[in-house]
Amino acid sequence: MEDLEAREAAYLGSLTAAEAEGDERAVEAALRPKTLAEVVGQHRVREQLGLVLEAARGRGRVPDHVLLSGPPGLGKTTLAMIIAHEMTAPLRLTSGPAITHAGDLAAILSGMNDGDVLFVDEIHRMSRPAEEMLYMAMEDFRVDVVIGKGPGATAIPLEIPPFTLVGATTRAGLLPGPLRDRFGFTARLEFYDAADLDLIVHRSAGLLGVELTEDGAAEIASRSRGTPRIANRLLRRVRDYAQVKADGVVTHDVARRGLELYEVDELGLDRLDRAVIECLCRHFGGGPVGISTLAVAVGEERETVEEVAEPFLVRLGFLARTPRGRVATAAAWRHLGLDAPPQPADVPGEPTLFEE
């Protein structure tokens, strides 16, 4: 068990935020729940996954392969580590973009031991040859390694001990059907509500040794965009502000002033989010405007606007995707304290749901 925990801590060091250095890396690792009982929120997923793992332990078999989907920061990597911890099995981590050839996957699988848990992050970005090799590995626990080329090529079967694959993806729709169907358990993680985020902030504050009040925790939770990773990051930044600018206690006023300093407003919008809606409203009259034009106007890459800022703005109902381009909704105009012009006919009246 001690060896397993040491492995987990080592893996966590490579996955922490870029800002975390030195002791901050250990802090990041400490904030992750180690067991299903410690997980806050995601009640249905936690109950279903607990049943799968308990049944596997009772049979003395490895659990079925698990697919976890959902937006970034909701705990997919943490759940993979918990699966390994609950099954007292070693955890091996890799990512889809790192597996560019079938040989890369064969090298990983050949080193697996009986009962190991293999975590593949962003599994939808694996190469197609590697995906096809993974089909057989998941189903029959063997792969065919091809030696040579052309008519003289020889396929050598390689037996693999039973293992559990845990795949994580932010875009489940990009997974091929044959791969998705081979997972015995699939779960989608949803955004957290304010009550669960409040509990997460309290738990993290206890682990960090941060003294905070109830309303201070609520203020941080309300600006965390429904995401535990963001809640923990904001807590650490508010902790710094309280240490330097106040008496070290995170109160409502200290949290508010600290988050204002870091440009996070009361809805969780950051500098880029506000730049997008302000540009839409003030420079383009609310739209419609193409995403490339919008990205140039705010001085960011198209991918940054489309993948970082846009999903949250759409989920809030501040931005709508239309056939003619992006449009600011009446809610966005109100948030900026501006009067909205008449809404174009192709802008939905209700807030647009988050789109993968």
Side-chain angles (χ1 to χ4, degrees):
M1 183 64 69
E2 291 179 359
D3 181 60
L4 174 60
E5 292 178 351
R7 289 170 183 247
E8 290 179 352
Y11 284 132
L12 282 164
S14 65
L15 298 173
T16 51
E19 66 181 11
E21 296 180 0
D23 291 342
E24 282 287 289
R25 294 183 182 274
V27 168
E28 280 278 354
L31 295 183
R32 291 183 185 268
K34 297 296 188 297
T35 66
L36 279 176
E38 296 178 12
V39 175
V40 176
Q42 307 294 346
H43 306 288
R44 182 56 60 86
V45 172
R46 188 176 61 190
E47 181 180 1
Q48 293 171 343
L49 184 57
L51 186 64
V52 170
L53 299 181
E54 185 175 351
R57 286 195 299 266
R59 294 191 300 268
R61 304 288 296 276
V62 297
D64 283 343
H65 303 300
V66 176
L67 177 64
L68 303 171
S69 65
L74 299 187
K76 297 185 291 296
T77 301
T78 297
L79 283 178
M81 293 178 174
I82 287 174
I83 290 171
H85 188 278
E86 296 275 357
M87 300 303 297
T88 62
L91 176 67
R92 300 173 181 268
L93 289 97
T94 186
S95 64
I99 304 175
T100 56
H101 305 286
D104 299 332
L105 181 61
I108 294 172
L109 294 175
S110 63
M112 300 287 288
N113 297 314
D114 191 9
D116 283 3
V117 176
L118 174 62
F119 175 61
V120 182
D121 197 13
E122 295 298 299
I123 192 170
H124 64 272
R125 296 176 62 187
M126 287 178 60
S127 66
R128 183 53 58 87
E131 282 179 358
E132 294 173 354
M133 176 178 284
L134 193 57
Y135 297 161
M136 185 179 297
M138 293 173 69
E139 242 177 13
D140 302 326
F141 297 111
R142 74 180 183 90
V143 294
D144 290 336
V145 180
V146 178
I147 305 298
K149 295 182 179 180
T154 303
I156 301 176
L158 176 65
E159 298 295 328
I160 304 169
F163 70 97
T164 297
L165 173 67
V166 180
T169 177
T170 55
R171 308 185 70 178
L174 296 184
L175 279 178
L179 177 59
R180 188 168 54 246
D181 294 342
R182 281 172 168 79
F183 286 96
F185 173 71
T186 62
R188 177 171 176 84
L189 304 187
E190 303 293 342
F191 288 102
Y192 288 63
D193 59 30
D196 286 336
L197 285 173
D198 192 276
L199 293 175
I200 290 171
V201 170
H202 275 288
R203 176 184 178 276
S204 298
L207 293 172
L208 293 172
V210 177
E211 185 178 353
L212 81 167
T213 63
E214 291 291 335
D215 53 358
E219 184 68 12
I220 295 173
S222 67
R223 302 190 188 204
S224 298
R225 303 165 76 126
T227 307
R229 180 185 296 165
I230 295 176
N232 288 330
R233 187 178 73 233
L234 295 183
L235 173 63
R236 297 201 307 275
R237 300 292 69 81
V238 170
R239 173 201 60 183
D240 296 343
Y241 182 89
Q243 177 183 333
V244 176
K245 298 288 187 179
D247 59 359
V249 180
V250 178
T251 63
H252 177 273
D253 185 57
V254 169
R256 180 183 57 79
R257 287 187 280 119
L259 293 172
E260 286 177 356
L261 176 65
Y262 289 109
E263 300 183 280
V264 179
D265 71 10
E266 63 274 8
L267 292 181
L269 299 178
D270 59 18
R271 181 203 61 80
L272 176 59
D273 301 321
R274 286 192 303 277
V276 169
I277 61 173
E278 285 184 357
C279 186
L280 262 177
C281 295
R282 298 183 188 275
H283 296 171
F284 298 104
V289 61
I291 186 66
S292 297
T293 302
L294 187 58
V296 171
V298 299
E300 295 285 353
E301 295 293 330
R302 170 185 174 139
E303 291 76 13
T304 303
V305 174
E306 195 168 22
E307 297 177 11
V308 177
E310 190 176 71
F312 183 57
L313 293 175
V314 170
R315 187 160 60 91
L316 279 182
F318 282 7
L319 183 144
R321 291 170 171 169
T322 74
R324 293 188 292 138
R326 274 55 174 179
V327 179
T329 65
W333 288 87
R334 287 195 300 270
H335 185 70
L336 297 177
L338 303 173
D339 294 328
Q343 198 173 47
D346 57 354
V347 178
E350 295 297 325
T352 305
L353 297 178
F354 174 79
E355 299 177 11
E356 289 281 10

